[in-house]
Amino acid sequence: MKQLKEKVTRWIQQKDGPQTQDLVLRPGKFGLGQIPARLEPDDTTTLICGYCSTGCGLKAHLRKGEAINLSADPDYPVNLGMACPKGWEALAPLRASDRATTPLLRDKASGRSESIDWERALILFCERLKELKRTYGPESVAFLSTGQIVTEEMAFLGALFKFGMGFLHCDSNTRQCMATSHVAYKQSFGFDAPPYTYADFEQSDVLIFVGSNPCISHPIMWQRVTQNPRNPTIIVIDPRKTETAMAATVHLPIQPKSDLMLLYGLAKILVEQGWINRPYIRSHTEGFDQFASFLETFSLSGIAATTGISAAQLRRIAKLIHQGQRVSFWWTMGVNQGHEATRTAQAIINLALMTGNIGRPGTGANSITGQCNAMGSRLFANVTSMLGGHDFASAKDRAKIARLLQIDESAIPTQHSWSYDRIIEGVKEGKIKALWVIATNSAHSWVNHDDLKRAFRKLDFLVVQDMFTTTETAELADLILPAAGWGEKDGTFINSERRIGLVKKVARAPGLALSDFKIFRLIAHYWGCGLQFSRWSSPEAVFELLKGASRGQPCDISGIESYAHLDRSGGIQWPYRPDESLDNNERRLFANGKFFTSNQRARFLFAKPVAPPEIPDAEFPLWLLSGRGTSSQWHTQSRTAKSDVLRKLYPEHPYVELNPADAKELGIDSSDQITVSTRRGSLSALAFVASTVGRGSIFLPMHYPEVNRLTAPVFDPHSGQPSYKACAARIERA
Ligand code: SF4
C-alpha cells in the first residue's frame, strides 16, 4: 500500500500519470476551471445530447471557459435544428447544488458521511472488494451500470471488472429498457440490429406505433414523422390514449398486455387474405410455415374478446398494412416492458418479414431505444455480450478479444453474468456482498423498489459512483465516488438508428469529481492491473480498441478514422467498414435481404400468449399502467428536476389518470387526493379524471419516487426485462 501511495503522489507531483490534472483540481464554483485546451474562450462547439436515444446534435456556446448555453444544431442530420426541452436545459444539472464534489465515506453506525480524499477512497474501494473476493469468491461482488455514460467508459468498466479485477456478475439499467429488443433482434436477425434510419419516419406511408408515445418520449423523432410528405396513415396500438394516439389516424385502445394476441390476429388475417409477400418469405426467411400453422389455432372472435378490438377493426388495420407500399413498425417500452415482451417484439418483426416491409425506405421492424447510449451498452459494455457483440461462451470470440486486448485468454469468463434481477436476488440471498452502482438510480427505478432497498441495506459494501449525492441510491451508499456528468467529458454515444456521435467536454466537473473514465483508470492502477490497461489511456484510444473489436462483426466500425471523422460527418451509422464512403449519411440494414443468422435468413419466432401473472381481481380491481409523463421529465429526475425551466413544465407531485366513469362510480373528482395501492405498497396522488385511460385502468407517470413502490417483480423470461406496464391496483379517496 505504501508503494501505491507513493505512486499516486508521484502522479500528482510529476503530472505524468493518469488523471493528474483532475486530481489537482480544487473544489470550487462550477466553470471556474480551465476550459479544454482545444476550445477558445468564446468558442462554439457541437456535441450530442445526453438524455434520450434520439441523439440530437447540440451547440455549446462558451464564454470565458464556461459553457453558458446550448442550442439545437441545424446541421446535424438527426434533429435538423430541433431539440426538446431536456436538450435545451441540459446544462442545468451540471450546476446543481447537490453535485458530488469529493469522495464521501459513510459511517455505518452513525449514518454520517465524511469527505475523504481520492487516495483513501480508492485504497478503501480496492481493499474491501479484494477482501470479499478472497473470502467469498469472485461472484460475491457485482456492478450495476447505465446507458447514460459514453461507450468508451462502459467498455472500460466491463473489461476492468471482468478481465482485470476478475469478477463476473454485472448488468446495466439497459436491462430495464432495451434488453427485450436486444434479445428479440438477436434471435430473429442473428444480431442485435435495429435496421432503420430516421429518414424512414419521413418515407413511410403507413407507420404503426406499438406501445410507443414518441410525441413526448422521443419528440424529435415525432417531428420527423410530421415532416413526412406522403400524408401517412398513423396507427397507434396502446391501452392509453397517449399524445401520439390523439394525433394518429387510428388508435387501437387494446386491453393491457393483450398486444401479443392482437399482433397474431393481424398476422392471421394477412395470411388468410393472402396479403403476404411470398417471394420475400421464400428467399429470406425461415419458419414461416410453422408460424402460419400456429396462427390457425386462433379465432378472430377470441382475439377480439381478449384485446377489446373488434374483428372488423382488426381487418381494417390488416388491410391498411396490405395497401401500404412502405409500412414501418415501431415499438418502445409498452412492448419491451411486458411479461412476454420478447415474443411480442418478435410478433412485430414477423409482420414486417411476412409483408416484405424491411430493408426498403420507409419500412422496418424498428425498436426505438430509450437512453442516449443504450445502443452503446448493448454492443460494447462487455456485460451481456462481449465487446463488439461477441459471445463469452464462444472460444473463437474469446481468442479474438484476448488477442486484440493483448490479455491472457484465461482472464475472459466463459459464462454469462447474472442479469439485473438475478443480481438483486443474489443480494437478497446474501451471495452478493458488495455492489458498485454507476450512474443509475436503482432505488428509484427498479420494480418493487422497497424490496430492493431492503436488500441494499443488507450489503456489506455499497459503492455509488454518480454526479449527485442525493439520489435515492446514493443516500444508501457506504462510499460515494464523485463523477463528472455529460458535458464534462469526451466519448461517443450510439443512438437509436445506430449513429455514433461525439460527446465533448465543454465544462469542468466541480470539485474533485472525475470522469468515469478516469475513475476506472485509477481503479485499475490501485487494483494492480494498470499495466493490463496501459493502452486504455484516453477515450479516443479506447475507441480505437473498440473499432478493432467490431472488425468483421455486423456492427463493424473499423472504417471510422477518428473522433474528428465523426465530428465532421454529423455522426456515422454502423456498419462503417474501411472501404465504405459516406455519400449519403443515412444507412439502413438488410437492403439485400441477407440477415446475420448462419443461413442469412430471418427467423419467424412465436409462442402461445399467456396472461400476465398479476391481473385485476376483487381486492385490486384496476389495471395500473405506468409510463413517461412529459417530455420535460427524464426517468428518476435526478437531472431534469435540477432545471427551474423544466420544473415549470410538469406537475410537481404524482398524479393518477382515471377514467370518468370509474371516477364517478368511486365519487372521485379531479384534484382529489387519492391513495393508489397494489400488493406491494401504496402512494398518495392527485386524481386527474380523463378519458385517456379506459374503464378499469389507471395511469401513473413513472418519474416520481413512490411509483415503483407499486410495480410488480415480473420479468420477461427471455430478456429478463421487468414488466413495468401492468399490474393490479385499487384506488380510494385519501
Ligand atoms: Fe435530447 Fe432526446 Fe430531447 Fe433530442 S429528443 S434534445 S436527444 S432529450
Side-chain angles (χ1 to χ4, degrees), residues 50-53 144-151 154 171-178 369-378 381 438-440 492-494 634-635 639:
Y51 279 107
C52 90
S53 70
L144 295 172
S145 177
T146 179
Q148 298 284 157
I149 58 178
V150 294
T151 307
M154 293 171 176
D171 204 355
S172 155
N173 63 12
T174 49
R175 180 75 55 187
Q176 294 163 270
C177 65
M178 297 316 301
T369 311
Q371 302 179 79
C372 55
N373 202 22
M375 280 297 295
S377 171
R378 284 153 69 171
I438 302 108
T440 190
T492 57
F493 289 158
I494 308 179
W634 182 250
H635 291 183
R639 285 184 290 163

Side-chain angles (χ1 to χ4, degrees), residues 128-244:
R128 293 297 305 273
L129 297 196
K130 282 188 173 186
E131 186 192 327
L132 290 168
K133 189 180 175 195
R134 263 193 315 273
T135 312
Y136 300 103
E139 298 194 30
S140 61
V141 176
F143 80 64
L144 295 172
S145 177
T146 179
Q148 298 284 157
I149 58 178
V150 294
T151 307
E152 294 78 358
E153 292 176 336
M154 293 171 176
F156 202 161
L157 171 62
L160 170 65
F161 191 76
K162 288 189 170 178
F163 308 157
M165 299 166 80
F167 294 118
L168 177 65
H169 295 314
C170 52
D171 204 355
S172 155
N173 63 12
T174 49
R175 180 75 55 187
Q176 294 163 270
C177 65
M178 297 316 301
T180 291
S181 295
H182 173 90
V183 175
Y185 280 136
K186 221 167 157 178
Q187 292 180 348
S188 295
F189 294 164
F191 197 77
D192 179 12
Y196 63 100
T197 183
Y198 290 161
D200 290 322
F201 285 122
E202 294 159 5
Q203 296 172 352
S204 294
D205 48 31
V206 179
L207 297 101
I208 303 179
F209 291 95
V210 189
S212 178
N213 185 12
C215 269
I216 62 159
S217 300
H218 298 88
I220 301 307
M221 294 191 200
W222 181 251
Q223 289 298 315
R224 299 287 298 260
V225 175
T226 64
Q227 292 178 6
N228 185 321
R230 301 170 72 90
N231 189 24
T233 299
I234 298 170
I235 299 163
V236 170
I237 299 170
D238 200 305
R240 183 166 164 256
K241 191 164 188 175
T242 62
E243 292 79 353
T244 310

